[in-house]
Amino acid sequence: AVDDSNPWWTEFSRVCREMNLSIKPEIFSAATDSRFLRAAGVPALGFSPMNRTPVLLHDHNEFLNEAVFLRGIDIYARLLPALASMPALHNEC
Amino acid sequence: RRQLSEGEHPGVTLFRQYLRIRTVQPEPKYDEAVLFLEKIAKDLGLECQKVEVAPGRVVTILTWQGTDPSLRSLVLNSHTDVVPVFEEHWNHDPFEAFKDTQGNIYARGAQDMKCVGIQYLEAVRRLKAEGKCFPRTIHLTFVPDEETGGHQGMELFVKRPEFQALRAGFALDEGLASPTETFTVFYSERSPWWLHVTSSGN
């Protein structure tokens, strides 16, 4: 769930807010490996930090701007410490 | 072209190197990708584990140990394969990773999803260089065959004892580009339901 009942989502969205990133939760329009992770009981979020970018996956002339790419590194460099510092959850052992 | 590469951010250079590895379906050069990842693991001081889930189909796992092994891990997943190309419709060689004067990098896999694999690695590189460490272990999993349904990749990997041993608590995986300022985050996805229609004459 993408609400405060999911601590991973809470943390993910908190970091995005701190970075002034506007995010929109959606259901993926195709299928990817996340479905196997979720089926195995691992909550997963699908996120590729590419805004201001035309959707060109599987298309001719697929490209990414290097400034968008580099900002993505900055975003992960903020997300990873937060997620990897998540305190023990009540159902965790 | 070479001149443009000078003074380039090393993360961008690494990204372009990865884009030049032809992990294109239907016969991806996975061996080259695995060697590339093993070398990066060594550079970054990460543990590297390889799990061959099917013949020639290796999942490469780079691990940054956390300080509290009782906690479940963070899994950063990406797939190494890319879909085929119709090269005649491209303005640049799709496996050259040409960068134009605006900084646009053209390649099959630039969005889906070699960018993300390298971004995970570069973020880890930066945090390690800053001397950071975190309670939870971070595993970077690089899997084959996502573009053909994951049946020789993630679908098999999640059934392996090596996957159980990761003790995954939460995972990040690919999303999609967004043409606007807003980033999209995907919390679920469609269930594939393939229909085979056989039509016999008359």
Side-chain angles (χ1 to χ4, degrees):
Chain A
V2 281
D3 57 34
D4 283 343
S5 69
N6 177 351
W8 298 104
W9 170 258
T10 304
E11 196 59 9
F12 185 96
S13 52
R14 184 187 65 77
V15 174
C16 290
R17 258 196 316 279
E18 271 183 16
M19 295 189 82
N20 289 317
L21 305 183
S22 155
I23 57 169
K24 185 170 170 240
E26 286 186 12
I27 294 180
F28 204 64
S29 53
T32 183
D33 283 335
S34 296
R35 72 185 185 281
F36 301 118
L37 290 165
R38 293 184 182 118
V42 182
L45 289 176
F47 177 61
S48 297
M50 298 182 283
N51 66 346
R52 301 181 180 190
T53 301
V55 181
L56 287 172
L57 79 161
H58 300 195
D59 209 341
H60 320 309
N61 297 313
E62 177 180 355
F63 75 90
L64 184 62
N65 186 272
E66 70 175 328
V68 175
F69 172 81
L70 290 170
R71 189 172 178 222
I73 299 173
D74 298 339
I75 293 169
Y76 284 119
R78 294 283 294 272
L79 282 171
L80 302 191
L83 297 172
S85 303
M86 174 74 83
L89 304 175
H90 69 278
N91 58 347
E92 195 163 1
C93 58
Chain B
R1 205 163 295 153
R2 191 166 295 152
Q3 284 166 342
L4 280 175
S5 300
E6 284 171 14
E8 184 174 68
H9 187 288
V12 173
T13 305
L14 196 70
F15 177 36
R16 294 174 73 192
Q17 287 169 356
Y18 189 27
L19 290 169
R20 292 183 189 119
I21 301 174
R22 300 178 69 99
T23 49
V24 56
Q25 293 288 354
E27 288 179 50
K29 295 199 180 302
Y30 284 131
D31 291 355
E32 287 180 36
V34 172
L35 280 173
F36 175 80
L37 294 167
E38 282 182 304
K39 184 176 173 297
I40 297 172
K42 207 170 174 186
D43 287 348
L44 291 180
L46 300 175
E47 293 162 34
C48 184
Q49 188 189 0
K50 293 184 286 180
V51 180
E52 190 170 22
V53 294
R57 299 292 181 268
V58 172
V59 176
T60 310
I61 306 148
L62 277 53
T63 298
W64 186 11
Q65 289 294 347
T67 55
D68 185 349
S70 74
L71 294 172
R72 290 189 173 269
S73 67
L74 174 61
V75 168
L76 308 177
N77 185 61
S78 65
H79 62 82
T80 57
D81 60 324
V82 299
V83 295
V85 292
F86 296 98
E87 202 157 346
E88 64 274 22
H89 295 296
W90 283 68
N91 297 329
H92 305 282
D93 177 343
F95 299 98
E96 185 194 331
F98 172 76
K99 184 169 75 173
D100 70 15
T101 50
Q102 279 82 54
N104 294 326
I105 298 164
Y106 290 85
R108 172 60 80 228
Q111 294 189 12
D112 180 16
M113 64 172 295
K114 288 181 172 176
C115 51
V116 174
I118 299 298
Q119 285 165 330
Y120 294 152
L121 286 163
E122 287 299 307
V124 166
R125 183 195 305 276
R126 185 183 304 174
L127 295 166
K128 286 195 78 155
E130 290 169 355
K132 304 273 172 58
C133 54
F134 307 107
R136 290 180 190 266
T137 293
I138 299 176
H139 296 290
L140 290 77
T141 52
F142 292 83
V143 302
D145 277 21
E146 187 274 341
E147 297 291 5
T148 51
H151 307 304
Q152 301 240 289
M154 186 60 92
E155 185 172 17
L156 296 176
F157 181 52
V158 296
K159 299 185 174 100
R160 297 278 301 222
E162 295 92 339
F163 174 79
Q164 294 303 320
L166 300 182
R167 300 188 68 247
F170 177 67
L172 291 179
D173 196 1
E174 69 180 329
L176 293 172
S178 159
T180 68
E181 184 63 31
T182 299
F183 295 85
T184 40
V185 186
F186 298 89
Y187 60 95
S188 184
E189 65 190 277
R190 289 186 183 171
S191 300
W193 186 31
W194 301 109
L195 290 178
H196 294 272
V197 179
T198 307
S199 168
S200 50
N202 299 323

